[in-house]
């Protein structure tokens, strides 16, 4: 699966982790939940 550029920009933020859950790519950020996102 291609990762969208908006998701790729969010993974550079401090504290963010890229996780695959149920076939979806998610960016989970515990330090700032505003940067959570999903693709797919």
């Amino acid at each position: 699966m291609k990762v969208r550029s908006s998701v790729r920009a969010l993974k550079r933020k401090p504290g963010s982790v890229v996780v695959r859950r149920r076939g979806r790519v998610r960016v989970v950020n515990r330090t700032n939940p505003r940067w959570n996102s999903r693709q797919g």
Side-chain angles (χ1 to χ4, degrees):
M1 174 186 273
K2 284 187 181 177
V3 178
R4 211 181 300 151
S5 60
S6 59
V7 173
R8 194 167 285 152
L10 282 174
K11 80 176 185 185
R12 293 195 195 104
K13 303 275 189 188
S16 62
V17 182
V18 178
V19 186
R20 288 200 71 168
R21 287 184 192 161
R22 301 188 186 122
R24 301 196 166 143
V25 177
R26 290 179 174 266
V27 175
V28 179
N29 196 318
R30 292 219 169 116
T31 57
N32 195 340
R34 193 177 63 184
W35 290 329
N36 290 345
S37 70
R38 77 166 193 147
Q39 172 189 323

